[in-house]
Amino acid sequence: MYYIGIDVGGMSIKGGIVSEEGKILHKSVVETRESYDENYSISLDIKRAIDELLDSSNIGMNEIKGIGIGEPGSIDYYKGIVRYSNNIAITNVHVVKELKAYYDVPIFIDNDANCAALGEYVFGEAKSYKNILFVTLGTGIGTGILTDGVLLRGNGNAGAEGGHTVIRMNGNRCNCGRRGCYETYASVTALIRDTKIAMDAHPESLMWEIAKNEGKINGKVSFAAAKRGDKTALSVVKRYIKYVSEGLTNLVNIFRPDVVIIGGGISFEGEYLTKPIERYINRNSFGSKYNPKTKVIPASLTNDAGILGAAALLLAK
């Protein structure tokens, strides 16, 4: 038997047929629309991704044990509703109910960071841990938390939004409406913003050459230049890592995980990113001299984390 995992993002909806061992057998991609309304629900594009998977494989719906969906925002896991997703601008969409009209299998939907955390626990490097803090650094910051092997969901499954904890009073405005949120300083969006500011102030920086080779200013630029000894880039990276570490130290103080897993494209920086974060957390967390140390590692599922995490919703059940 197989599972379908659907990863809903702001740019695309990615689908995969997944084996019980966590192997993705077939993939599909459907572009996310700029807007959805009562005339065209996002469920229809999720259906398109599912149907493309089935059409491109030799696997029939009778061989599918269930469908898991991961989506950013406040997701009511228990009722199958996307209550609020600011990156895709949809509210109160009954995704599970709408898809049940087409597929007679168990269907679950959850926050994408919750799914990613669960995916690492079921399929990834976190199998041997029970207390896990997963943080994905991307356009924003998503967090998924497992305590004693169980996802922390909170009231209405709206909890575990670590990216929207404030780390600077009256700081940068966040698209959630508050100021100083963690994600306005430690997301890759924030890193790119600070990289651009530093480049404009230092036209001699090696970051200009790297950005030209990349074709744009992205999250790789400052790290690549820093590794080559560029002083301006080193300053950008050092400040960024401190912001990431400060927010994670707060979360470690609350949840005291065995391991912190860093996801998102920035996780490809590996130990260049995770080791200084680990040192910072274990030096600055409450009672650091006396309490157990926290390990910090990059996510192991990388680009397939969304699909595998969504499929893990079925396996966890």
Side-chain angles (χ1 to χ4, degrees):
M1 298 296 286
Y2 306 101
Y3 304 89
I4 289 178
I6 299 293
D7 177 21
V8 179
M11 299 297 292
S12 64
I13 297 170
K14 301 173 185 176
I17 295 179
V18 181
S19 70
E20 291 188 355
E21 296 73 34
K23 182 178 180 181
I24 300 177
L25 306 176
H26 299 276
K27 290 183 179 180
S28 68
V29 180
V30 170
E31 186 176 342
T32 308
R33 292 187 171 215
E34 290 186 4
S35 64
Y36 293 94
D37 54 33
E38 63 276 6
N39 297 316
Y40 194 96
S41 170
I42 194 170
S43 302
L44 293 176
D45 278 341
I46 294 173
K47 180 181 182 298
R48 282 178 58 207
I50 294 169
D51 290 344
E52 285 187 17
L53 278 174
L54 297 171
D55 291 343
S56 64
S57 69
N58 294 319
I59 297 172
M61 199 64 210
N62 61 316
E63 298 177 85
I64 300 298
K65 203 168 183 178
I67 299 168
I69 305 160
E71 185 163 336
S74 293
I75 315 297
D76 192 326
Y77 165 83
Y78 303 101
K79 295 182 179 179
I81 301 171
V82 178
R83 295 206 177 279
Y84 171 67
S85 183
N86 60 325
N87 289 333
I88 308 176
I90 59 175
T91 57
N92 293 319
V93 181
H94 293 247
V95 172
V96 169
K97 180 180 179 181
E98 291 173 4
L99 290 175
K100 278 282 192 179
Y102 304 102
Y103 310 109
D104 187 22
V105 294
I107 302 174
F108 298 101
I109 187 169
D110 206 342
N111 173 270
D112 56 349
N114 281 357
C115 289
L118 201 59
E120 290 287 341
Y121 180 56
V122 174
F123 297 121
E125 293 297 316
K127 288 180 180 178
S128 58
Y129 300 102
K130 292 291 186 183
N131 301 294
I132 300 163
L133 169 59
F134 178 92
V135 56
T136 179
L137 305 175
T139 304
I141 290 181
T143 53
I145 300 159
L146 285 95
T147 56
D148 293 326
V150 179
L151 272 173
L152 185 151
R153 299 186 183 278
N155 185 10
N157 200 49
E161 288 290 349
H164 297 285
T165 55
V166 170
I167 64 170
R168 179 173 288 185
M169 289 285 288
N170 300 315
N172 296 331
R173 181 171 292 282
C174 181
N175 63 10
C176 77
R178 300 180 78 194
R179 285 188 176 274
C181 282
Y182 182 32
E183 74 172 37
T184 68
Y185 292 93
S187 64
V188 173
T189 301
L191 173 61
I192 293 170
R193 177 199 65 215
D194 292 345
T195 299
K196 288 177 179 177
I197 292 170
M199 288 172 64
D200 288 340
H202 296 275
E204 79 286 356
S205 172
L206 184 59
M207 290 190 287
W208 285 99
E209 177 189 328
I210 294 170
K212 184 177 180 180
N213 292 335
E214 285 286 324
K216 60 181 178 179
I217 301 173
N218 56 26
K220 301 177 186 177
V221 170
S222 58
F223 275 86
K227 290 173 184 176
R228 291 170 60 179
D230 184 87
K231 290 183 179 179
T232 303
L234 282 165
S235 176
V236 172
V237 169
K238 183 178 179 181
R239 183 170 60 252
Y240 176 71
I241 288 176
K242 186 173 182 180
Y243 278 134
V244 174
S245 302
E246 281 284 5
L248 287 178
T249 301
N250 292 339
L251 295 172
V252 166
N253 282 341
I254 298 169
F255 299 106
R256 193 59 63 173
D258 307 316
V259 63
V260 173
I261 303 173
I262 307 291
I266 201 76
S267 67
F268 287 109
E269 299 298 338
E271 291 189 350
Y272 191 86
L273 174 71
T274 59
K275 284 301 179 184
I277 293 173
E278 184 176 281
R279 286 194 297 270
Y280 191 96
I281 289 172
N282 288 321
R283 186 171 62 244
N284 292 284
S285 59
F286 180 75
S288 58
K289 291 183 180 180
Y290 310 101
N291 286 318
K293 302 299 181 187
T294 299
K295 191 173 181 62
V296 180
I297 61 174
S300 61
L301 302 182
T302 61
N303 294 332
D304 294 327
I307 292 173
L308 290 172
L313 286 173
L314 282 304
L315 286 159
K317 290 298 290 184

